[in-house]
């Protein structure tokens, strides 16, 4: 007899799962490339680009666990880590 109940495989559960090294490096690279002084720019396109990147990065960081953020922290430049309240 078959049922429609799907059992969760412990391997597929995301609780406590660590971020992949590749994703951590990509997030860190984007944070390190961030122009933290973009608010002073006169060019609207450049300002919009940095503003959108900041929003995207903050959203991604808010979705990560503390363990995932700890993986990213050592890859960050101190000024950018402070800007995103990671240190």
């Amino acid at each position: 007899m078959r049922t429609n109940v799907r059992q969760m495989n412990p391997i597929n559960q995301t609780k406590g799962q660590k971020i992949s090294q590749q994703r951590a490096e990509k997030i860190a690279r984007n944070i390190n490339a961030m122009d933290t002084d973009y608010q002073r720019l006169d060019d609207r396109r450049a300002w919009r680009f940095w503003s959108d990147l900041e929003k995207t990065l903050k959203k991604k960081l808010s979705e990560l666990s503390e363990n995932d953020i700890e993986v990213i922290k050592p890859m960050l430049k101190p000024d950018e880590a402070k800007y995103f309240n990671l240190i």
Side-chain angles (χ1 to χ4, degrees):
M1 181 170 151
R2 289 177 54 171
T3 63
N4 290 334
V5 177
R6 183 175 176 195
Q7 294 181 359
M8 287 294 294
N9 184 347
I11 295 171
N12 294 334
Q13 292 178 351
T14 58
K15 187 174 183 180
Q17 187 176 17
K18 287 231 174 196
I19 190 171
S20 72
Q21 187 67 24
Q22 183 179 9
R23 183 168 183 222
E25 289 171 357
K26 182 178 179 182
I27 292 170
R29 184 176 63 242
N30 284 324
I31 289 173
N32 288 333
M34 180 74 193
D35 180 359
T36 56
D37 232 6
Y38 77 89
Q39 292 91 352
R40 299 178 186 202
L41 294 174
D42 292 333
D43 182 1
R44 284 186 162 266
R45 287 182 184 170
W47 185 90
R48 189 177 313 131
F49 171 80
W50 293 115
S51 177
D52 290 346
L53 180 59
E54 179 184 14
K55 288 176 191 171
T56 300
L57 290 171
K58 285 185 176 183
K59 182 179 180 217
K60 286 183 189 237
L61 289 171
S62 72
E63 295 169 350
L64 297 176
S65 71
E66 281 297 317
N67 292 334
D68 293 341
I69 291 174
E70 291 300 321
V71 172
I72 295 171
K73 280 184 183 180
M75 300 178 210
L76 300 177
K77 295 177 187 175
D79 289 340
E80 282 72 13
K82 279 184 189 176
Y83 185 82
F84 285 95
N85 298 320
L86 297 175
I87 58 171

